[in-house]
Amino acid sequence: MSLSPSPADDPRTLVSTEWLGHHLKDPDLRILDASWYMPGTPRDARAEYEAAHIPGARFFDIDEISDHRSDLPHMAPPVEKFMARLRAMGVGDGHQVVIYDGSGIFSAARVWWLFRLMGKTDVAVLDGGFPKWQAEGREVEDLPPVIRDRHMTVTRQNHLLRDVTQVSHAAKLGQAVVIDARSPARFTGEASEPRPGLRSGHIPGARNVPFGAVLKPDGTMRDPAALRRVFEGAGVDLSKPAITSCGSGVTAAVLSLALERIGHRDWSLYDGSWAEWGMYEDLPVETGPARP
């Protein structure tokens, strides 16, 4: 098996299993298992981590490392909580962080975005995630990592996050393009939302790029040229700022990662996403396909 990293590897966005295999013993590498599954999915992310994970990986609990003052699911945590939890995992300044999940590229991108939000740029998602790592017969273990405390400093990058008021204003004035990562049936309103009490449909003027559209059949991310075609084919005006959205702010980050990969850096993520927008009766909702 070749351990040569791919020329497409970028330790600030996406790295291959070859890259990680090559750097696995680096002293300043920290690996996080950020697996998370939709409610009702018959998988237990922490139990899977405890049974087998990439050597040295720590478990990042998306639901726990969040803002528990909010009624919305897994909203971005306060800076102090993020710093405390990461220090407790032995992750801090000067570390190169690689994040993976048990689906391929799904929830890992959410944690990549959280690190970016906290001003950390030496962080990448593992392309293809744990499924690809295991399929290649690479080393796994079930041992807890040895933790050594490392100081962490954080400089929150508020331009990477949008709240409901900011999204409403931008959508109404056409100042940014909202890109929705949910399935076409949820976007058009044909399918009910998995969370009770939410209306169906999408933010007026939004474009639909289901997060799976930016992935290849093997679960790895498409190359930048193909990613650009996906966005443009969905009617996304890449000359405008982008706001990514989804059901609860998880798969929106897959689109954010894809935008970063094509060099479109004027993006932000709507953290409340449809879990928030669909809850408020006074916010406008469109159904059917995206308007021309």
Side-chain angles (χ1 to χ4, degrees):
M1 180 186 298
S2 171
L3 291 180
S4 300
S6 162
D9 288 320
D10 177 3
R12 292 187 167 208
T13 56
L14 195 71
V15 295
S16 63
T17 51
E18 290 79 9
W19 186 97
L20 185 56
H22 186 74
H23 291 276
L24 195 59
K25 304 300 182 184
D26 288 5
D28 282 331
L29 177 73
R30 292 294 180 269
I31 306 170
L32 300 179
D33 181 332
S35 298
W36 177 88
Y37 304 108
M38 286 288 293
T41 303
R43 296 183 68 173
D44 183 325
R46 185 178 288 276
E48 290 180 12
Y49 163 80
E50 291 173 353
H53 52 261
I54 295 175
R58 288 94 160 120
F59 184 73
F60 189 105
D61 189 331
I62 287 176
D63 286 324
E64 198 284 320
I65 307 176
S66 66
D67 188 352
H68 288 181
R69 299 168 301 181
S70 173
D71 293 332
L72 295 169
H74 43 252
M75 295 286 280
V79 167
E80 296 77 14
K81 184 174 185 178
F82 182 86
M83 291 172 61
R85 296 297 190 270
L86 269 295
R87 285 192 65 174
M89 285 190 272
V91 180
D93 296 341
H95 284 145
Q96 169 66 52
V97 178
V98 175
I99 308 162
Y100 73 88
D101 64 55
S103 297
I105 298 180
F106 183 64
S107 52
R110 166 74 184 188
V111 178
W112 171 84
W113 170 75
L114 280 176
F115 271 82
R116 284 297 187 95
L117 179 65
M118 300 298 173
K120 299 299 182 183
T121 56
D122 293 332
V123 55
V125 170
L126 180 63
D127 201 11
F130 200 47
K132 189 170 190 290
W133 183 270
Q134 286 185 301
E136 293 169 349
R138 296 181 184 271
E139 182 182 0
V140 299
E141 66 180 17
D142 59 2
L143 301 172
V146 176
I147 302 296
R148 295 182 180 87
D149 187 74
R150 175 75 71 97
H151 179 70
M152 173 175 276
T153 55
V154 164
T155 305
R156 186 171 160 116
Q157 306 296 304
N158 288 320
H159 66 281
L160 295 180
L161 179 147
R162 290 291 178 265
D163 63 23
V164 64
T165 302
Q166 292 169 318
V167 175
S168 178
H169 185 75
K172 183 177 181 179
L173 298 182
Q175 295 173 330
V177 56
V178 177
I179 315 175
D180 193 323
R182 293 176 301 154
S183 69
R186 289 174 67 189
F187 180 85
T188 61
E190 297 172 79
S192 299
E193 285 298 303
R195 290 179 176 83
L198 299 182
R199 296 173 295 163
S200 297
H202 59 266
I203 297 169
R207 295 291 181 260
N208 186 210
V209 179
F211 81 94
V214 304
L215 306 178
K216 300 176 186 175
D218 67 355
T220 59
M221 186 162 280
R222 298 185 186 278
D223 65 75
L227 290 174
R228 185 172 289 274
R229 290 194 295 271
V230 168
F231 284 115
E232 291 175 343
V236 175
D237 184 351
L238 292 173
S239 69
K240 286 186 173 184
I243 300 172
T244 61
S245 180
C246 60
S248 64
V250 174
T251 58
V254 178
L255 299 188
S256 297
L257 178 62
L259 289 168
E260 190 75 13
R261 289 287 287 176
I262 66 174
H264 184 86
R265 301 204 161 85
D266 193 358
W267 59 263
S268 53
L269 184 146
Y270 175 23
D271 200 11
S273 283
W274 198 255
E276 181 175 43
W277 191 281
M279 179 175 59
Y280 290 115
E281 294 293 337
D282 57 337
L283 289 174
V285 167
E286 283 185 350
T287 56
R291 65 190 184 204

